[in-house]
Amino acid sequence: MPRANVLAGRTSPWFWWKAAAIITMLFGFSVLIAVTVEAYRKAPPIPARVVDAAGAVLFTSEDVAAGQQVFLKHGLMNNGTIWGHGAYLGPDFSAQYLHNWALDVADQVAQERFRRPYAELTAEQQAEINGGVARTMKQNRYDPATGILRFSPADAASFERQITYWRDYFLTPARNGGLRAGAVSDPQELRELTAFFAWAAWASTAARPGLAHSYTNNFPYDPLAGNVLTGGAVIYSVLSLVFLLAGTAIVLLAFGRFAHLGWHSPPTRPPNAAVFVTTDTQRAALKFMTIAALLFLAQVFAGAGLAHYRAEPGDFFGVDLSSFLPSNLLRTWHLQLAILWIATAYVGGALFVAGMLGRNEPALQRPAIHLLFGAIVFVAVGSLLGEWAGIAQLLGTAWFWFGNQGWEYLELGRAWQILLAIGLVFWFVLLWRNVAPAWGDLERRGLIGFFLIAAAAIPVFYLPALFYDGSTHFTIVDTWRFWIIHLWVEGFFELFVTVIVAIIFYELRLVERDTALRVIYLDLILVFGGGLIGTGHHWYFNGQTEFNMALSSAFSALEVVPLTLITLDAWHFVSVTRDDKAGEEPFRHKWTFYFLMAVGFWNFTGAGILGFLINMPIVSYFEMGTNLTPTHGHAAMMGVFGMLAIALMVFVLRQTVSDATWPRLERYIRCGFWGLNIGLAMMVVLSLFPAGILQLHDVITNGYWHARSLAYTAGTVPRLLEWLRMPGDLVFIFLGALPITIAMCLGYLDLWKTRRAVTALRPVSAE
């Protein structure tokens, strides 16, 4: 190639955009891979044998692995947590075991020194004992050469005593957050489960060799056991603020200098009223949106039942709900349905947009889309039934493959995971068939390239779900879990939606092609500049070192920066949706844009403010696994990805139904928009956020174990705050989710009737 052409390519603005995007991605993934490798190297060891003072074996590494599988098989990660990861209906099992253990050690010292139980001592006498107990708990008696961990007599006695403690925990739904009565009763399973809890508690308090803090960076907070905030957590929190302020300053400078994101640069093409021809293949996408709405409705009803378990765990208005719909099953369904309905909406939206972008009808595309739809319904229904059967212990040894794997957010059985991955690959092939013929169009090539890259990333980054099984080390599993949860959902889903929105804007002639590409590049650079390495904020206290904390705390702070920019720009959508201009037709996609504006608000509030709050190590140390986490989770997951999914649903609905039908459906869409946003705000303001603040205060005052136990959660004020969630739930369900579902079903019914009418005139296969 002539040198002049090479130099010209380098001076092209697109060269620098591409270079910046590639460098950002390479740097982010290089650091993330390095942190993952470090997790394998520095994960807390699992002793080959744990022995008492006389050398008798208490439990082995095989018992710990078996106990972890008991934990998963019974769906206990959707009841309580290990190292803060899991559900919030029950205790943090590692924290509760640790505190019980520390009390047993303190009790033995109290008997030896004062001849009285520890609980009966004065505050001064307890203070004399506490320091010694903390030092004892911090001693690491593990010998890596032999693989033996030696327990003191008090440690060994505590282990035996806690087998009975955990047996009693599982007896009564009112005392365990709504598990079915006697959920775990087999003596062998109870011993193995207790061994798993004992190992997790030991790793959370024993000093990592050469350091003063534990393998989990002293999580959970329990001063009696010697677990207090580390200096690193304070220092790295301060540095994260520096990164946030610097990043925000740069973005605000760019915002003022370069006229927002560029969405509103005047297009040179005349605006498109979007009354372009919708093909049969595109109309086939409406069925995905309808099933997504039905899954959404099922999800919110499961969430309402789950919320009731927090307010009244042993009773559902006089009915023992735990006997047939235990709380861990409802939480499993609530999480899985959230992923399923949002993913289904994205699948359908991409199929519709592929038709807009490719402008062709590949042979057999509609039958292939019907096949994909059937596969999605099969996996959705099959996996949900499998989770029920798995938690009910009806599948025997097949629970891992066809039932409930037990890992939070990735509960569906391994066979269903494989089928889902195959379905996503098939979906990508369908998208490629639709847009590939248009690759020769230089005007659209850049958008097509990003569309295919973003779509391909979704099945590719689901593959880490296959990198572990029920016996894999907990730290390693958590590492790969968040490669999926954070990268798949918060990374590539966000890029994918940005690409979809940019293409829609381009096709509606609201922006030029260069503007759409510039926004995609900017989103990629900003989101992945902080989002890739920021994945590690989930790993502060799961057995990784402070190396991860130092990097991820700084870069996760940068995740707020693109959210700030997007929010500043989002409200300018109002100018596009104005329908009161003289002589102009009402904007066809007003409600699609309204949902996109809601995304901007919840992005900044839920993902930005609340996300940054709990991502700082100094806050996360005390907060993780308390109500501030679902505060962020609901505002970010529903407020961002849920609203984006509904925006796509409304767009496809408006493009598919006739103008005569739309006014009847618009009433439901309008109600659904306000019901969802007001209901979600009520949940956050009246219940989740104040409950999270009060629980955080209790952690700092009484210890993490206390704030996660019935000693706190059964209190008058915490239970009152749980009941105060009901008004928001009712608004969200009956004025939000239900009207949206009705609109989608009526729209699909209208399409079906239209096809039936056409079929009566000429042979056309029915939708």
Side-chain angles (χ1 to χ4, degrees), residues 73-75 180 326 328-329 332 386-394 404:
K73 182 175 68 170
H74 289 277
R180 62 182 177 84
N328 55 340
L329 175 63
T332 296
E387 287 156 359
W388 165 77
I391 288 178
Q393 306 304 301
L394 300 177
N404 168 54

Side-chain angles (χ1 to χ4, degrees), residues 192 235 301 323 345 361 378 552 615 658 689 722:
E192 292 168 343
I235 293 170
F301 275 114
S323 61
E361 287 276 286
F378 177 72
S552 58
N615 287 351
S658 65
F689 185 73
E722 295 296 344

Side-chain angles (χ1 to χ4, degrees), residues 105-179:
V105 173
D107 203 53
Q108 184 188 59
V109 176
Q111 291 288 358
E112 292 173 354
R113 186 175 302 180
F114 298 105
R115 299 293 186 269
R116 282 188 297 161
Y118 176 80
E120 296 179 6
L121 301 182
T122 65
E124 291 77 11
Q125 291 171 328
Q126 288 183 347
E128 289 183 33
I129 291 175
N130 291 351
V133 172
R135 286 192 299 273
T136 299
M137 299 290 289
K138 281 292 169 192
Q139 291 178 12
N140 192 339
R141 302 186 185 91
Y142 173 68
D143 183 357
T146 61
I148 294 176
L149 171 62
R150 297 190 179 277
F151 270 10
S152 70
D155 301 340
S158 180
F159 172 74
E160 298 293 345
R161 189 176 300 113
Q162 292 209 51
I163 296 174
T164 302
Y165 176 90
W166 292 110
R167 181 202 65 195
D168 294 342
Y169 171 80
F170 293 112
L171 289 178
T172 309
R175 304 290 299 174
N176 59 34
L179 295 173

Side-chain angles (χ1 to χ4, degrees), residues 450 454 491-500 520 523-524 528:
F450 271 119
F492 289 101
F493 263 12
E494 187 161 338
L495 172 65
F496 178 73
V497 172
T498 300
V499 172
I500 293 291
I520 294 170
D523 180 81
L524 191 152
F528 292 126

